[in-house]
Amino acid sequence: MYNSNTHKQRRVAVICLCVALLYIVGCVAVLLQQANDGTELWTSMDVIERRSFTRAAFVYLPKDQKHRFLHQLKWFLRSWEEMRGFEPPDWRTDVVVVTDGSSKSLEHLNCSATNKRKNRVDAPVCV
């Protein structure tokens, strides 16, 4: 028997896992950047979180299945907005949506090719 609550709980768990993985990837990338800079590799999380860091999550939205995946994209964007509240202040995570179809439905979600950050301190965007 199908239980929609169980499905929703699994979806929320997957989204939380994705957010955690993005944070971990960011920390590892900052550590690798420190290693390349010649600075001390093992530093406290306070030092890592104060460093400026930019990353992106890429999402593919096929035009022939857009109606199927658009709902999931909305959930992803919502979790992305929530995650930004827990992100260190100098970190930026942009969302890049790649599609081979019309972008009208994406514009309603504020995802547009015209959304561009000019520098590191601008707010994260969905492109």
Side-chain angles (χ1 to χ4, degrees):
M1 183 169 152
Y2 178 75
N3 184 343
S4 64
N5 286 336
T6 304
H7 182 69
K8 288 179 184 177
Q9 290 171 343
R10 286 182 183 160
R11 183 182 300 172
V12 169
V14 168
I15 290 171
C16 290
L17 178 63
C18 290
V19 169
L21 285 174
L22 278 173
Y23 185 81
I24 292 168
V25 167
C27 291
V28 169
V30 170
L31 287 171
L32 290 174
Q33 182 182 9
Q34 286 178 337
N36 287 338
D37 292 346
T39 58
E40 184 179 335
L41 183 59
W42 301 110
T43 58
S44 71
M45 286 304 293
D46 290 341
V47 172
I48 291 172
E49 291 179 351
R50 281 182 292 180
R51 292 194 62 157
S52 175
F53 182 71
T54 304
R55 60 189 172 179
F58 285 82
V59 178
Y60 175 64
L61 190 63
K63 73 176 180 179
D64 58 337
Q65 297 180 1
K66 188 180 285 188
H67 65 282
R68 179 177 170 207
F69 292 112
L70 199 55
H71 183 71
Q72 293 177 357
L73 178 61
K74 288 178 185 178
W75 271 101
F76 176 78
L77 292 174
R78 179 68 180 127
S79 66
W80 171 62
E81 289 175 14
E82 289 294 320
M83 180 211 53
R84 288 172 34 195
F86 298 97
E87 206 171 38
D90 291 333
W91 286 24
R92 298 293 182 267
T93 304
D94 296 331
V95 174
V96 179
V97 181
V98 180
T99 184
D100 51 0
S102 170
S103 63
K104 289 180 181 156
S105 56
L106 296 175
E107 290 174 3
H108 293 299
L109 298 174
N110 199 25
C111 291
S112 171
T114 60
N115 292 346
K116 295 180 183 172
R117 289 191 302 115
K118 293 183 177 39
N119 56 48
R120 292 180 150 196
V121 296
D122 286 348
V125 295
C126 181
V127 182

